[in-house]
Amino acid sequence: MAASKKAVLGPLVGAVDQGTSSTRFLVFNSKTAELLSHHQVEIKQEFPREGWVEQDPKEILHSVYECIEKTCEKLGQLNIDISNIKAIGVSNQRETTVVWDKITGEPLYNAVAERKNGAFKRILMIPGLAYLERFQLWLDLRTQSTVESLSKRIPGNNNFVKSKTGLPLSTYFSAVKLRWLLDNVRKVQKAVEEKRALFGTIDSWLIWSLTGGVNGGVHCTDVTNASRTMLFNIHSLEWDKQLCEFFGIPMEILPNVRSSSEIYGLMKAGALEGVPISGCLGDQSAALVGQMCFQIGQAKNTYGTGCFLLCNTGHKCVFSDHGLLTTVAYKLGRDKPVYYALEGSVAIAGAVIRWLRDNLGIIKTSEEIEKLAKEVGTSYGCYFVPAFSGLYAPYWEPSARGIICGLTQFTNKCHIAFAALEAVCFQTREILDAMNRDCGIPLSHLQVDGGMTSNKILMQLQADILYIPVVKPSMPETTALGAAMAAGAAEGVGVWSLEPEDLSAVTMERFEPQINAEESEIRYSTWKKAVMKSMGWVTTQSPESGIP
C-alpha cells in the first residue's frame, strides 16, 4: 500500500506475522492504523519423498530478517524515515514447537504445522534423519498412544488437565509433542540432560534469536502462546508444577511467561537494530485485538485453511460444556488484567475449496468458486460435510468422514460449489451456537477477517445462516495490526493508545441477513442431519512409531 511522506503523522510500529506458509513484516501508522508498507517471503518447502514436507526454523528466522530489510527499503522509497519505527510486535502460529540448543543456537529438530489438501502435516526433522508424521487434523496418530498412556495416569479426575489449562488432553498441543520427543529423540534427551535445551513456540524462538540468541537472547513467551502448551495454569498465569511433573517436562527448559504488551528486549541486528520488541500474541489472539474485540461478548472469526472463532469472555474463565477450548485472549501490560476467550475451530474452510480445485478439478483457481456458486444461487438440496479427517468442535469426533448428500440427477458442479461455501458457514454456526450456550450472551454481530472474506457470496451466506449481521473491516490485516497495537501500547513505548476514545475508526463492510429466520433454521437443521450421517465411518488405531 503506497503512502506519501505527508501521510505519516505519527510514530510507526512494525509487526512480524509468522505463519505456516509465509513470513511477513508490516508497518503501521500508530495514530491512524494505516498500513504503510509490507513485505512477504514464502517459506520454502522441500519434498524429498512423496508426502514429505520439510521446513527449517533457521530459514524462518532468516525470512523474518529479510522481510524487515525489504520493508525498510520500501519505506525509504516512499520517503519515510525508518527511525520513526518505535516498536515491533510478533504474531505467530501457536502450537508449532521448537527445541533448540542455547549454546550453539541450533534447533534440535524441526516442527512445522502445514495443512495440505485437508490433512494436517507435521514434520520432525533431525539432522541426518527425517520423520514425516501425517496426522488427521487434530488427531496426531504418532502421539495418540502417548495421549492414551497419559490419560490412564491422570491423577484424581479426568478434569485434571482441562481445569488448569482450559484444554483437553489432546495431541494438538505442545506438551504431548514435547513428551514424545523426550521419549524418542536422543539428541533432545542429551541436550536436556546437559542443561543445553530450550523449548518454545515460534514466538519464543524468534524473540530469543532477534534479541541476541546465544549472546544474551531473551527466552520468553506471552500468556496467549503459553496457554496453548497444556503446561500453563490459566488461573495463576504461571507454568504449573503439577502439569510439568505429569508430562515429565523439566521446567528449566520453559520460557519466562510475560504479558502480551511489554518490552522483552531490543533488536540486536539488521535495519531496526535497537528497536524494542514489545508485543507478542498468538495469531488468533492478535486478530481478536486487531478487530478491537475488547468488550465481553464480542467475537471474531478468521477464515483461512480452517476457521478460528474467538469470543471475549472478559476477566472470567468460561469453561465449555460443548466442546470449546478456554484460552487466554490477551494481557495488554504487566499490570493490566488478563482477558479470556472461548475458542472453537472449524477444521476445513479454505481447505474444502482447495479440495474442489486439486482433487475434484471442478475449479481451476480458488476464486472461481464464487462465480460457480453465483450461477445457481442455491445448493438445490445438496449438503457437503467436509469431515475429511474427523470433526472438530463441538463434536470432536475422529470417526467421521466427508460426505456429499442430497444429490439428484439435476445436481451439478455449481450446486456442489455452493454447498461447499455453505458448509463453512454451517460449521461456524455450530461453534457460535456452542459459544452462546456456554456464555449465555447471544452475539449481535460477527466480526470477520482472513483470506476467504473477499468472497461476497460466502459472507452473505454467513449472515443468512447465522441470522445476524457479518461485519468485515476494509483493512484485512487484523492479525498483524493486533501485534502492532500491543507493541505500540507497551509501557516504555507508549505510541499507540488503546483507550476506546482513541482507537481509530475502521471502515467496515456489513452483510445483513437476506432470508427469513424460518428458512435459515430449516437449512441448518438439514445440515445437522447430514453431519450425523458422516459419523462412525472409521476407527483408526495406529501404533506409536519411534525414532532411534
Side-chain angles (χ1 to χ4, degrees), residues 188-209:
V188 173
Q189 294 166 355
K190 196 163 185 288
V192 169
E193 288 162 11
E194 295 173 1
K195 312 288 187 194
R196 291 183 288 107
L198 295 179
F199 154 81
T201 39
I202 288 289
D203 58 303
S204 297
W205 162 245
L206 290 179
I207 291 172
W208 182 82
S209 301

Side-chain angles (χ1 to χ4, degrees), residues 107-110 125-130 187:
L108 294 165
Y109 74 104
N110 292 346
M125 193 171 73
I126 297 91
L129 178 70
K187 191 160 186 174

